[in-house]
Amino acid sequence: MTRKLSFIRLLVAVAALCTMLFFGVPVFADQANGSSTENTQTGTSQDEKKDQTGTTSTTDNNTTTTDSSSSSTATTDTNSKTGGDWMQDTNGWWYKYKNGSYANGWAEIEGDWYYFGSNGYMKTGWIDAGGTWYYLESSGKMATGWTKDGKDWYYMDKNGIMKTGWMQENGKWYYFESNGKMKTGWLDCGSNEYYYFFEDGSMAEAGWLNRDGYWYYVEDSGAMKIGWMQEGNTWYLFQTSGVMAMNKWASYGGYWYYFDGSGAMQTGTITVDGITYNLGESGGISDPAAQVANAYSSATNYLILVNRSTHTVNIFQGSQGNWSTIKSFSCTDGVSTPNGTFTLGSHTYHFGEEKGYTCWYATQITGEILFHSVLYYPNTFNLQDGRLGITASHGCIRLALEDAKYIYEQIPSGTKVVIYQ
């Protein structure tokens, strides 16, 4: 009798072991990283597994998975599997069907799509399936619609595919970069074609646009305006940057125009910085500096004008009332640069080495105020500070090396220099 009881106990133990092996965790579920280690932890059914809703998602486990063998669109598992349970162990979640098999690849579960790796575990975050990108929420659900990952917004279509390029929704246009991120700020499409997108991603609509204190105009297409625009009887000029010209001279089509503080182009006789100009009915003149020059005489047949507002040096040849522009180039002046009328003086080949730089081809304007080259490292022609078109010097007029050399070699002492602003 004792032997019979022992034999029965042995049969019960064997049956229990077989049951655990059959219904426990599958071997592949423990091989996410190629490991063949046996998993001895039994999966736990989780009927309460999160059922998140809505179209906005954030990544708890920001995972990127590449699976080139998967279809680019979600399809129902081809095996006839209906119903099952979510299972979890320390490695993650998987889905066990009632017939004992496990979800693998794309699977539709209770109306939502999930993706399971070749090891059977549910994926989250970004996945690249056959060259198509999808996003899986922290619950594992495939995202559709507007989706946020970190600080960036994306849009996933009804099939879960990440959107790129242009998209229209509720009458508004949006743009998604090649990586799927929603565009904000300026979009450069090349060939001077720019669009602006607000912080919510919507494209600026037709009309006036002020950004960071600068005025732009958006056309009906959404593209930023460049060139002339007439509104009523007023003309405005939008420069190549798209910024409307205001309180300045601007050149367009070979002519110069002046625009007041509202951006309106001026015509007729105007006075700017104490200097009177005749702009005529069209508003355009070939050279505003020439009108300034004709008011001055010079002891030589040369005249130099320095406009601190435009950071420009103009050199003329001729005589009072009949000056012709022969050179025009950019310069850098300083807050201590004096305005007034001066006479070109002595020449110095170079200076400044004791201060840690060299300036070449210096020509005296007045006192220690000189025309000279931009800054180079001592006794070299290796550029140290080549900035032009700004206010940055201690008072001298900095020029490109070849321009400083031209004044140094070609313009005689005694030539009148007019500095104005």
Side-chain angles (χ1 to χ4, degrees):
M1 177 65 70
T2 301
R3 291 180 179 177
K4 185 175 182 179
L5 289 174
S6 298
F7 180 72
I8 291 171
R9 290 192 185 99
L10 178 61
L11 288 177
V12 172
V14 170
L17 178 60
C18 290
T19 299
M20 181 179 69
L21 291 174
F22 183 79
F23 292 102
V25 179
V27 173
F28 62 70
D30 208 31
Q31 296 177 346
N33 298 311
S35 170
S36 60
T37 304
E38 183 179 0
N39 186 347
T40 59
Q41 180 174 351
T42 303
T44 302
S45 174
Q46 295 287 334
D47 291 334
E48 69 278 10
K49 187 175 187 298
K50 287 183 288 184
D51 184 20
Q52 296 180 352
T53 60
T55 57
T56 302
S57 63
T58 56
T59 305
D60 290 338
N61 180 13
N62 191 11
T63 306
T64 300
T65 304
T66 302
D67 190 343
S68 60
S69 64
S70 301
S71 171
S72 61
T73 56
T75 57
T76 306
D77 195 312
T78 55
N79 295 324
S80 299
K81 305 165 184 174
T82 57
D85 294 304
W86 284 102
M87 312 294 289
Q88 184 187 37
D89 64 11
T90 55
N91 292 318
W93 290 91
W94 71 94
Y95 192 79
K96 179 180 176 181
Y97 292 106
K98 288 183 178 179
N99 67 0
S101 62
Y102 295 84
N104 187 269
W106 286 108
E108 186 179 21
I109 301 171
E110 298 179 356
D112 294 310
W113 286 96
Y114 299 82
Y115 188 83
F116 299 86
S118 58
N119 58 9
Y121 284 107
M122 181 192 77
K123 297 292 185 181
T124 61
W126 291 101
I127 63 167
D128 177 8
T132 302
W133 285 94
Y134 300 83
Y135 186 80
L136 304 173
E137 301 175 13
S138 58
S139 67
K141 292 180 185 179
M142 181 188 75
T144 59
W146 287 102
T147 300
K148 189 176 185 181
D149 181 23
K151 295 181 180 180
D152 299 309
W153 282 96
Y154 302 80
Y155 191 87
M156 324 303 286
D157 70 14
K158 64 181 181 180
N159 294 317
I161 299 173
M162 181 187 76
K163 180 72 177 176
T164 60
W166 290 97
M167 183 188 81
Q168 187 179 31
E169 184 183 65
N170 298 327
K172 294 183 179 294
W173 283 96
Y174 301 84
Y175 188 86
F176 299 89
E177 301 181 71
S178 58
N179 60 6
K181 292 181 180 180
M182 181 189 75
K183 181 67 178 178
T184 60
W186 289 105
L187 170 67
D188 181 359
C189 292
S191 301
N192 283 332
E193 186 178 351
Y194 295 88
Y195 299 84
Y196 188 82
F197 298 86
F198 296 105
E199 286 301 310
D200 66 355
S202 63
M203 183 185 75
E205 298 177 351
W208 291 96
L209 173 69
N210 186 288
R211 305 307 299 170
D212 302 321
Y214 296 101
W215 282 100
Y216 305 82
Y217 192 85
V218 178
E219 301 188 270
D220 291 341
S221 66
M224 177 186 72
K225 177 72 177 178
I226 294 178
W228 289 106
M229 184 187 80
Q230 185 179 19
E231 192 172 70
N233 294 322
T234 303
W235 285 92
Y236 302 89
L237 178 64
F238 297 89
Q239 301 161 98
T240 54
S241 63
V243 176
M244 181 179 71
M246 297 171 59
N247 277 327
K248 64 180 293 186
W249 289 97
S251 176
Y252 192 88
Y255 290 88
W256 286 87
Y257 302 84
Y258 189 81
F259 301 87
D260 68 11
S262 71
M265 183 194 77
Q266 301 298 289
T267 60
T269 301
I270 64 170
T271 300
V272 180
D273 298 325
I275 299 172
T276 300
Y277 302 86
N278 183 8
L279 304 178
E281 293 182 1
S282 68
I285 56 177
S286 59
D287 186 0
Q291 291 197 20
V292 178
N294 284 327
Y296 293 94
S297 61
S298 176
T300 71
N301 62 339
Y302 292 95
L303 174 69
I304 301 177
L305 298 186
V306 180
N307 187 335
R308 295 179 59 197
S309 296
T310 60
H311 307 289
T312 304
V313 173
N314 288 282
I315 300 179
F316 300 86
Q317 189 173 26
S319 59
Q320 185 175 9
N322 192 34
W323 294 110
S324 297
T325 306
I326 58 172
K327 288 283 185 179
S328 181
F329 34 76
S330 182
C331 70
T332 285
D333 63 311
V335 293
S336 298
T337 302
N339 294 333
T341 302
F342 310 97
T343 301
L344 211 59
S346 61
H347 297 73
T348 303
Y349 181 48
H350 63 87
F351 71 93
E353 288 76 15
E354 71 283 359
K355 297 180 180 179
Y357 56 82
T358 290
C359 293
W360 299 95
Y361 301 114
T363 304
Q364 184 186 40
I365 299 173
T366 180
E368 295 183 351
I369 305 299
L370 315 169
F371 287 115
H372 62 71
S373 74
V374 291
L375 277 58
Y376 292 83
Y377 286 100
N379 297 306
T380 74
F381 288 98
N382 298 322
L383 197 59
Q384 183 182 98
D385 184 352
R387 294 176 296 167
L388 291 170
I390 61 173
T391 299
S393 76
H394 293 111
C396 291
I397 305 298
R398 298 181 189 176
L399 304 168
L401 183 68
E402 61 273 19
D403 296 331
K405 184 179 180 181
Y406 178 83
I407 292 177
Y408 181 89
E409 293 182 345
Q410 301 297 324
I411 307 302
S413 298
T415 295
K416 183 168 288 185
V417 178
V418 180
I419 302 177
Y420 64 101
Q421 190 172 16

